[in-house]
Amino acid sequence: MGTLGLIIKREYNARVRNKSFIVMTFLSPLIGVGMIMLIIYLTQLNQDSQRTIVVVDESGIFYKEFESTSALNFLDVSPAGLDNGMNMVKENSYYGLLYIPANVKQQPSTVKFFGDEVPGYTTLDRMEEQIEKKLTDEKLIDRGVDLDLIDQSKTKVSINIENFTGERTSKVSNWIKAGFGGAAGYLLMMFIIIYGNMVMRSVIEEKTNRIIEVIISSVKPFKLMMGKIIGTTLAGITQFSIWILIGGTLLFILSTYLGLDPSSTQTPVGNMGATDLDKIELIVLDILNLPLLKLALYFIIYFIGGYFLYSSFYAAIGAAVDSETDTQQFMLPIIMPLMLAIYVGLFSVIENPHGTVSTAFSIIPLTSPIVMLMRIPFGVPWWELAISVTLLVATFMLTVWFGSKIYRVGILMYGKKASYKEIVKWLKY
């Protein structure tokens, strides 16, 4: 085994045999699954509780207009009056009181809601919508308009989307594609941040313990840095694989035996009409038509290229400082391109995946690993992929070369805080 192989093996073993690494490897899936199950449980618990709203309608227009649901129960006590209605709310700890005055047709803004807390946006919007519709109907009737004719004249249009080959797609196709690409890009960003910091801490630890003085005497800085990056990468992949295996298994077991169904908030299939089922069918077809193999292949390519690129930055920073506290001044230039890539992906790719902004940021090496992964589900020309990957690899090699120069000088520097000006000098050595 060559020197690089020995360094990779040493770094990998040092990571996976670390107590905190082992504990977090098995504890993180438990915490993650526990949080997911708690959210599902609280969501179902919240839906099980029905809130009562007392209605006092002095206009006499809205009698039994408010239909109760599993979440809201409307109790009409109009004959009792406003004061008695308020007392009823207080005595029974109801959610609130909706007051509709007699002159509501002339002054719609006089409608009031009394309660100890502001009602949720959905609840308030539903009440306003029902009041607006009823008042509109009443005004139309006063003007001699036949409501039945209006209802019969209403036409609902749903545009069917097809490409030029006759293949149908759903209206949420872009969101589905953005979701798959966004998940891949976000996963890569989290991996870079978590395990890039691990590379940096490893360098700082060896530098602090003066072990590096022994290692550097027999190993070139370039090989040492590459060994740390690759070894930590393999340790990270091992940890991620265990997380997925344990987390997926636990989620399946708990959701099966505890009866916590994540889809319980969805509309049951039996209550769906033909149109709803057709929409679901189109969504499923959109998912199946995604270039999953291509996305997986380029995810691996950009995963390796992006992680190696940023890990070389983290290793160089670790070599330039004496403690983790001193790294803060250098972290912003690393985090900013990653955050920029996420925001460009969210706000540009989904609206115009082939626009100038999306295309440019999917080629720039510092942002391409995330933005290009978001663009691939929308279809990217082969030459753009070739340019993007080539620039990423070239930038990675250049960064590793520059990083090794910083690494070579900074790894043996003690007691002196590095600055950007100092690091530029090291590049000239």
Side-chain angles (χ1 to χ4, degrees):
M1 185 181 290
T3 308
L4 181 60
L6 290 172
I7 297 171
I8 294 171
K9 183 179 178 180
R10 173 187 173 275
E11 195 67 27
Y12 178 82
N13 290 334
R15 298 275 77 77
V16 298
R17 292 176 181 176
N18 184 278
K19 288 184 179 180
S20 61
F21 183 92
I22 296 172
V23 170
M24 291 309 298
T25 297
F26 292 97
L27 188 61
S28 294
L30 297 176
I31 297 174
V33 171
M35 289 296 295
I36 293 173
M37 302 309 294
L38 179 62
I39 292 170
I40 296 172
Y41 171 75
L42 293 176
T43 301
Q44 293 181 353
L45 186 66
N46 186 57
Q47 291 178 343
D48 291 338
S49 60
Q50 189 183 55
R51 294 172 296 184
T52 300
I53 295 178
V54 171
V55 179
V56 176
D57 174 23
E58 294 182 349
S59 68
I61 299 174
F62 297 90
Y63 180 69
K64 291 186 178 180
E65 280 294 323
F66 297 96
E67 296 181 2
S68 298
T69 64
S70 58
L72 288 175
N73 175 41
F74 290 97
L75 181 61
D76 197 320
V77 296
S78 299
L82 180 59
D83 293 337
N84 290 330
M86 286 188 172
N87 291 331
M88 188 180 297
V89 171
K90 294 176 182 178
E91 292 172 0
N92 297 279
S93 300
Y94 289 148
Y95 185 64
L97 182 144
L98 179 63
Y99 172 64
I100 304 174
N103 62 341
V104 67
K105 291 175 68 174
Q106 292 77 30
Q107 295 181 313
S109 59
T110 54
V111 178
K112 295 180 181 179
F113 181 89
F114 297 93
D116 292 331
E117 59 183 78
V118 179
Y121 176 80
T122 304
T123 302
L124 197 61
D125 186 64
R126 180 168 176 257
M127 291 189 295
E128 288 177 345
E129 186 179 349
Q130 288 182 290
I131 294 172
E132 288 174 359
K133 183 180 182 304
K134 184 61 178 177
L135 289 178
T136 301
D137 290 345
E138 288 293 319
K139 288 183 179 181
L140 289 173
I141 292 172
D142 292 343
R143 287 168 173 76
V145 178
D146 190 344
L147 296 181
D148 291 335
L149 288 176
I150 292 178
D151 290 336
Q152 293 170 12
S153 302
K154 288 181 179 179
T155 305
K156 187 176 181 180
V157 177
S158 180
I159 299 176
N160 296 312
I161 305 172
E162 293 185 10
N163 58 22
F164 291 106
T165 61
E167 187 178 291
R168 297 174 65 200
T169 185
S170 67
K171 296 177 182 179
V172 295
S173 176
N174 279 9
W175 287 99
I176 294 172
K177 293 174 181 178
F180 272 81
Y186 186 77
L187 180 63
L188 173 58
M189 184 188 76
M190 293 304 298
F191 195 94
I192 288 172
I193 292 174
I194 294 171
Y195 296 101
N197 273 287
M198 191 179 290
V199 172
M200 182 180 67
R201 285 195 296 268
S202 174
V203 175
I204 295 174
E205 182 183 350
E206 289 182 351
K207 183 177 177 180
T208 305
N209 295 335
R210 302 296 177 93
I211 301 173
I212 201 68
E213 294 178 357
V214 178
I215 299 174
I216 207 71
S217 62
S218 56
V219 181
K220 291 183 178 180
F222 180 85
K223 284 188 177 182
L224 182 58
M225 188 169 73
M226 283 298 298
K228 284 187 171 296
I229 293 173
I230 296 173
T232 306
T233 303
L234 294 175
I237 292 173
T238 301
Q239 191 175 55
F240 257 62
S241 301
I242 296 174
W243 283 353
I244 293 171
L245 181 62
I246 296 177
T249 304
L250 284 175
L251 195 59
F252 174 76
I253 293 173
L254 290 175
S255 61
T256 301
Y257 289 97
L258 296 182
L260 298 177
D261 183 10
S263 62
S264 60
T265 58
Q266 305 298 322
T267 304
V269 176
N271 295 335
M272 293 182 180
T275 304
D276 295 323
L277 291 173
D278 186 56
K279 289 178 180 178
I280 293 175
E281 182 183 352
L282 288 176
I283 291 173
V284 172
L285 286 174
D286 279 336
I287 295 174
L288 294 176
N289 288 331
L290 285 172
L292 297 177
L293 184 60
K294 183 178 181 181
L295 185 60
L297 174 63
Y298 279 98
F299 174 75
I300 295 172
I301 294 173
Y302 281 103
F303 181 90
I304 295 172
Y307 175 73
F308 278 16
L309 174 63
Y310 279 93
S311 288
S312 61
F313 290 141
Y314 278 104
I317 290 173
V321 300
D322 289 335
S323 65
E324 197 168 344
T325 306
D326 299 332
T327 63
Q328 301 305 314
Q329 61 175 320
F330 301 108
M331 296 305 295
L332 186 61
I334 294 179
I335 300 298
M336 282 301 294
L338 293 172
M339 298 302 298
L340 181 62
I342 290 292
Y343 283 110
V344 167
L346 289 176
F347 296 106
S348 297
V349 173
I350 192 171
E351 288 295 329
N352 189 4
H354 304 296
T356 304
V357 174
S358 301
T359 303
F361 279 89
S362 65
I363 292 176
I364 297 172
L366 291 177
T367 56
S368 64
I370 293 175
V371 179
M372 185 59 86
L373 285 176
M374 292 184 177
R375 285 189 64 207
I376 287 174
F378 295 91
V380 180
W382 68 268
W383 59 269
E384 287 188 16
L385 286 166
I387 293 174
S388 178
V389 172
T390 302
L391 286 177
L392 178 62
V393 173
T395 305
F396 159 63
M397 297 303 295
L398 187 64
T399 305
V400 171
W401 182 71
F402 277 114
S404 63
K405 297 189 74 172
I406 297 173
Y407 197 88
R408 182 184 60 188
V409 179
I411 202 70
L412 298 176
M413 296 286 289
Y414 300 99
K416 183 179 181 181
K417 287 189 176 182
S419 62
Y420 287 105
K421 184 178 180 180
E422 192 73 22
I423 290 175
V424 171
K425 289 182 180 179
W426 296 351
L427 293 174
K428 297 176 182 179
Y429 291 162

